[in-house]
Amino acid sequence: MSTISISAAGAAMPANPARSYAQGATVEAPWVRMLLIAIALGFLTLFLFVPLAAVFTEALRKGWEAYFSAIVEPDSLSAIRLTLLAAAISVPLNLVFGVAAAWAIAKFEFRGKNVLLTLIDLPFSVSPVIAGLVFVLLFGAQGWFGSWLQANDIKILFAVPGIVLATIFVTFPFVARELIPLMQAQGNEEEEAALVLGASGWKAFWRVTVPNIKWGLLYGVILCNARAMGEFGAVSVVSGHIRGQTNTIPLQVEILYNEYNFAAAFSVASLLAVLALVTLAAKSFIEWRLQTDAPQPPEESLP
Amino acid sequence: MMSAVIPYAKTPSAPFRLMPGFHLSLGFTLLYLSLIILIPLSSVFLKSFTLTWEVFWNTVTSERVVASYRLTFGASLAAAAFNAVFGGIVAWVLVRYRFPGKKIIDAMVDLPFALPTAVAGISLTALYASNGWIGRHLEPLGIKVAFTPLGVFVALVFIGLPFVVRTLQPVLEEFERELEEAAASLGASRLQVFAQVIFPSILPALLTGFALAFARATGEYGSVIFIAGNMPMVSEITPLMIITKLEQFDYAGATAIAVVMLVISFILLLTINLLQAWSKRRAYVERS
């Protein structure tokens, strides 16, 4: 009983001992602190919280009934279905790629590794519009495979396969980006121990590697999924905007907005805003798990 | 087995040769990378080779396209600079001070990464339109934001917001407080400590964040097109010019502009890699 109260008292002490002997030149004056906090909060309020609040306010402007009827409208429902389908295909594919790439890069040394790392990051630095354009150049009527596809009656552009391809392109690096630093920090020792003890390669992977990287994996998947469901530019180029057929949720938002159907546009958009909030909550939870699980948290990386 | 296959590889430790799956994982990585990224991207360059130099040059230097570069790069630069200042303050406040709600605010900084750009676009447009929550108060002052280049700037500030904060935060957290105390004990004022001790060591990270925000802003499409108004010569961004050409079935023209943007992206990517290497070296020197 007494040990508990002692540790509780210990936890209540200031975390940073430097503070106890801090002088005027190592901390800011109180008014400077207050001013900086006020500027930071003002900036974030103006650019983050107000825009987020506006989505929900505008969505509910005409009441809950109008809100729900905008979402269960057939075109919106088909947009939701297509978005879920595109994410259900692109996220697992990029997950398998991410694990394979992280395994090769983190567990082995080879020439050209830095070039490979840069190439994996490429989709982040390419404009989403160009990501869409490349598939138009490949599969469009004037494209490289255009006439062959037409002769064989295969539709890629302005159809679901094109949307899936564009989504895979823009979400390509997410899982690999999270796993590479994590697996590099963990090293090879545990897998090597399993192999020395007679485990097969696959068994070592499933029993040793996967449990070690599960939170990092989930982190990458969540970010990948958020982008897959929310991608606008790339999908907009390849979709053809056929209502009820090739519209994803973000494209449906655009169509409703351009028809001045603002309340409906914001209602559908609020689904994506909720997805963003769930993503952030899940992300914070996993960061907390990663910090408690691993002695060394992975490097903060930008999606 | 493996050791016989890759004898030239630099080995960090002898038993690593035990690790299986090198060829399988690297082979799959390269195949997937080529199919999804490299071959599709190379189609842009190959298509541009079918243009004559004159057509290419006339397309990428036409008046309307040049106006779009000016807006895209000007607004991106301004937004990244704005984010460097205010993102820097946010990072400082989140690392150094304690205040209620800090954890939630810290988590919310990533909102622009998670919120789809189209949602951000319509929301900002609704806010800054002349009847919106914010636009209503700016209109009497003669400031128009929505459907002007200023609107483009606002959208680019939103999407670039997390970059500076997230690159500065870890650097500030690892910063040695002892250095500040040493400077203080030698008689430096707080402002001198900041300007001469803290600022030089966070500068590489600050520039990296700035460059990341800038690179992201130049390619941005979804959040901008709603608020920009898209008037030719005034508020058209370069990615929109690609879309416009595509809608006119001018694939060659779209490709020419895409090549210009891709080359600029590659230069930015290279710059960012160099900045990050500098940032890491700076951190290493400080620790040792």
Side-chain angles (χ1 to χ4, degrees):
Chain A
M1 200 50 203
S2 61
T3 47
I4 292 170
S5 61
I6 286 166
S7 66
M13 290 217 306
N16 190 352
R19 233 176 235 185
S20 52
Y21 56 88
Q23 289 154 4
T26 53
V27 288
E28 292 80 42
W31 71 268
V32 177
R33 284 169 177 245
M34 297 308 288
L35 183 69
L36 288 176
I37 293 177
I39 292 173
L41 293 184
F43 172 66
L44 293 178
T45 304
L46 189 62
F47 282 96
L48 286 187
F49 300 121
V50 173
L52 184 65
V55 175
F56 294 103
T57 328
E58 296 286 335
L60 293 171
R61 181 155 281 189
K62 291 189 180 160
W64 286 96
E65 211 165 301
Y67 177 81
F68 284 116
S69 67
I71 289 172
V72 298
E73 196 250 344
D75 286 347
S76 300
L77 281 182
S78 97
I80 294 170
R81 256 195 306 273
L82 181 56
T83 294
L84 292 175
L85 176 70
I89 298 172
S90 56
V91 175
L93 281 174
N94 284 334
L95 169 69
V96 173
F97 160 74
V99 173
W103 183 269
I105 289 170
K107 304 285 182 194
F108 300 95
E109 291 298 324
F110 54 92
R111 257 178 269 178
K113 194 191 261 191
N114 283 330
V115 177
L116 183 59
L117 279 170
T118 308
L119 289 177
I120 289 174
D121 274 351
L122 258 188
F124 281 151
S125 49
V126 170
S127 171
V129 170
I130 295 176
L133 170 73
V134 298
F135 293 108
V136 174
L137 294 179
L138 285 178
F139 303 120
Q142 306 172 30
W144 287 1
F145 303 113
S147 45
W148 184 85
L149 290 171
Q150 244 166 3
N152 289 282
D153 202 25
I154 302 170
K155 278 197 78 97
I156 292 186
L157 210 61
F158 310 134
V160 177
I163 292 171
V164 172
L165 277 172
T167 309
I168 293 176
F169 186 103
V170 293
T171 57
F172 180 85
F174 282 94
V175 178
R177 258 305 227 9
E178 291 308 324
L179 286 185
I180 291 167
L182 181 68
M183 283 169 72
Q184 275 175 335
Q186 283 171 349
N188 295 358
E189 286 81 4
E190 290 186 38
E191 282 87 354
E192 280 163 2
L195 293 166
V196 167
L197 292 172
S200 70
W202 283 110
K203 199 168 180 183
F205 172 74
W206 285 109
R207 295 284 185 81
V208 178
T209 312
V210 172
N212 272 341
I213 61 171
K214 61 176 189 280
W215 291 113
L217 203 66
L218 195 59
Y219 192 97
V221 164
I222 283 169
L223 295 180
C224 185
N225 180 63
R227 181 70 195 265
M229 291 190 167
E231 177 51 28
F232 177 75
V235 171
S236 154
V237 174
V238 296
S239 122
H241 303 273
I242 308 165
R243 282 189 95 128
Q245 283 181 42
T246 62
N247 268 345
T248 59
I249 302 176
L251 298 178
Q252 182 68 13
V253 169
E254 184 199 17
I255 287 190
L256 290 169
Y257 189 86
N258 287 344
E259 287 171 347
Y260 300 101
N261 196 349
F262 295 136
F266 278 101
S267 302
V268 179
S270 72
L271 294 177
L272 293 171
V274 169
L275 172 74
L277 290 175
V278 170
T279 301
L280 290 184
K283 194 170 163 290
S284 303
F285 173 75
I286 294 168
E287 270 163 9
W288 170 72
R289 282 308 308 240
L290 274 170
Q291 258 164 8
T292 47
D293 267 21
Q296 276 204 323
E299 269 184 8
E300 185 74 45
S301 64
L302 295 157
Chain B
M1 227 359 230
M2 202 54 99
S3 60
V5 183
I6 43 161
Y8 54 82
K10 272 189 272 169
T11 57
S13 60
F16 107 67
R17 294 195 189 94
L18 264 172
M19 297 293 291
F22 177 65
H23 288 123
L24 178 67
S25 59
L26 188 65
F28 179 75
T29 301
L30 293 177
L31 176 73
Y32 191 76
L33 179 75
S34 307
L35 283 178
I36 300 291
I37 308 295
L38 298 183
I39 294 173
L41 263 188
S42 64
S43 73
V44 175
F45 291 98
L46 289 173
K47 174 84 183 174
S48 75
F49 291 145
T50 64
L51 305 175
T52 64
W53 174 250
E54 211 184 318
V55 172
F56 177 86
W57 187 250
N58 286 341
T59 309
V60 300
T61 58
S62 74
E63 220 183 340
R64 199 169 148 191
V65 175
V66 170
S68 83
Y69 302 143
R70 215 176 295 135
L71 175 65
T72 296
F73 293 103
S76 299
L77 210 64
F82 190 81
N83 272 324
V85 175
F86 288 94
I89 295 174
V90 170
W92 179 266
V93 163
L94 286 175
V95 172
R96 291 290 174 109
Y97 304 154
R98 285 194 220 175
F99 52 92
K102 187 170 122 169
K103 279 227 166 100
I104 291 173
I105 288 169
D106 193 357
M108 287 296 287
V109 167
D110 282 330
L111 182 73
F113 287 153
L115 191 71
T117 51
V119 179
I122 63 168
S123 173
L124 290 171
T125 311
L127 283 175
Y128 286 94
S130 53
N131 59 351
W133 289 353
I134 299 174
R136 199 186 308 155
H137 302 289
L138 294 176
E139 189 99 327
L141 306 172
I143 304 170
K144 278 196 164 196
V145 179
F147 317 123
T148 70
L150 197 56
V152 177
F153 166 79
V154 169
L156 294 180
V157 169
F158 176 84
I159 57 122
L161 194 150
F163 289 98
V164 173
V165 182
R166 290 302 186 229
T167 39
L168 266 189
Q169 253 176 330
V171 178
L172 277 174
E173 265 158 19
E174 283 180 19
F175 186 77
E176 305 276 350
R177 288 286 189 97
E178 286 81 357
L179 290 175
E180 289 173 56
E181 281 154 24
S185 68
L186 292 171
S189 72
R190 184 63 187 151
L191 206 61
Q192 279 175 316
V193 172
F194 181 80
Q196 294 179 16
V197 178
I198 302 173
F199 187 73
S201 63
I202 63 171
L203 183 64
L206 190 67
L207 285 175
T208 307
F210 171 85
L212 284 168
F214 178 71
R216 171 71 207 265
T218 54
E220 178 58 18
Y221 175 71
S223 59
V224 175
I225 48 147
F226 293 99
I227 202 168
N230 307 325
M231 280 171 292
M233 304 298 296
V234 180
S235 57
E236 277 183 328
I237 53 166
T238 310
L240 179 70
M241 296 308 305
I242 297 176
I243 301 252
T244 311
K245 299 263 181 211
L246 274 179
E247 277 168 358
Q248 298 160 351
F249 299 102
D250 179 5
Y251 285 20
T255 309
I257 301 171
V259 166
V260 173
M261 289 208 67
L262 275 178
V263 169
I264 293 170
S265 310
F266 293 156
I267 294 171
L268 283 171
L269 189 65
L270 190 72
T271 314
I272 290 165
N273 279 350
L274 292 174
L275 279 171
Q276 272 166 341
W278 180 32
S279 189
K280 266 188 198 139
R281 227 174 23 245
R282 179 63 66 93
Y284 178 75
V285 168
E286 241 154 50
R287 236 170 274 141
S288 55

